[in-house]
């Protein structure tokens, strides 16, 4: 992807694809399920970190740091799709919020 617009174009495509392929549900239920999906993806990051560090003696080293990076990307994508599901102007909301957070880091 060459710029932020491409990212949000992809997020729009994913959100539309999910809307077309998922069972019909009330909008509120769809939104709640998108939020729950985010929790699932965060859990997969934790599982990958535990696996990459060999913290489960039964499984040993079962993941790589590449797996962790991939799972983190899934979290970002899933969060962006959830934001887009909540609001059609997700790109503007995110850009504005990121600018505020960035400004706070430069006292």
């Amino acid at each position: 992807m060459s710029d932020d617009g491409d990212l949000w174009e992809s997020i729009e495509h994913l959100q539309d694809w999910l809307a077309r392929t998922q069972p019909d549900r009330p909008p509120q239920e769809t939104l709640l399920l998108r939020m729950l999906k985010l929790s699932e993806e965060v859990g997969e990051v934790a599982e990958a970190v535990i696996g990459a560090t060999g913290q489960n003696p039964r499984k040993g080293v079962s993941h790589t740091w590449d797996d962790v990076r991939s799972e983190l990307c899934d979290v970002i994508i899933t969060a962006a799709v959830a934001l887009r599901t909540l609001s059609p102007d997700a790109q503007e909301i995110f850009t504005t919020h990121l600018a505020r957070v960035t400004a706070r880091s430069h006292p």
Side-chain angles (χ1 to χ4, degrees):
M1 286 182 201
S2 60
D3 64 27
D4 192 44
D6 290 341
L7 166 70
W8 289 100
E9 189 174 304
S10 294
I11 295 304
E12 178 87 18
H13 171 77
L14 289 169
Q15 196 268 338
D16 289 344
W17 172 72
L18 287 169
R20 286 192 318 272
T21 59
Q22 297 294 303
D24 285 335
R25 292 187 170 92
Q28 188 72 8
E29 184 178 336
T30 297
L31 181 60
L32 293 174
L33 289 170
R34 295 277 160 77
M35 301 304 153
L36 287 175
K37 180 67 175 169
L38 184 56
S39 294
E40 176 191 18
E41 294 297 342
V42 169
E44 290 175 9
V45 171
E47 179 181 17
V49 170
I50 288 167
T53 57
Q55 292 304 300
N56 183 336
R58 186 173 53 80
K59 294 181 180 179
V61 176
S62 58
H63 291 74
T64 66
W65 289 104
D66 282 342
D67 294 326
V68 175
R69 285 186 277 274
S70 178
E71 295 299 343
L72 285 169
C73 289
D74 286 349
V75 168
I76 293 166
I77 293 165
T78 302
V81 169
L83 181 60
R84 174 58 186 83
T85 301
L86 182 62
S87 182
D89 53 346
Q91 180 177 355
E92 180 181 332
I93 290 168
F94 181 78
T95 301
T96 301
H97 187 76
L98 181 60
R100 278 196 307 267
V101 170
T102 302
R104 286 194 315 244
S105 71
H106 300 294

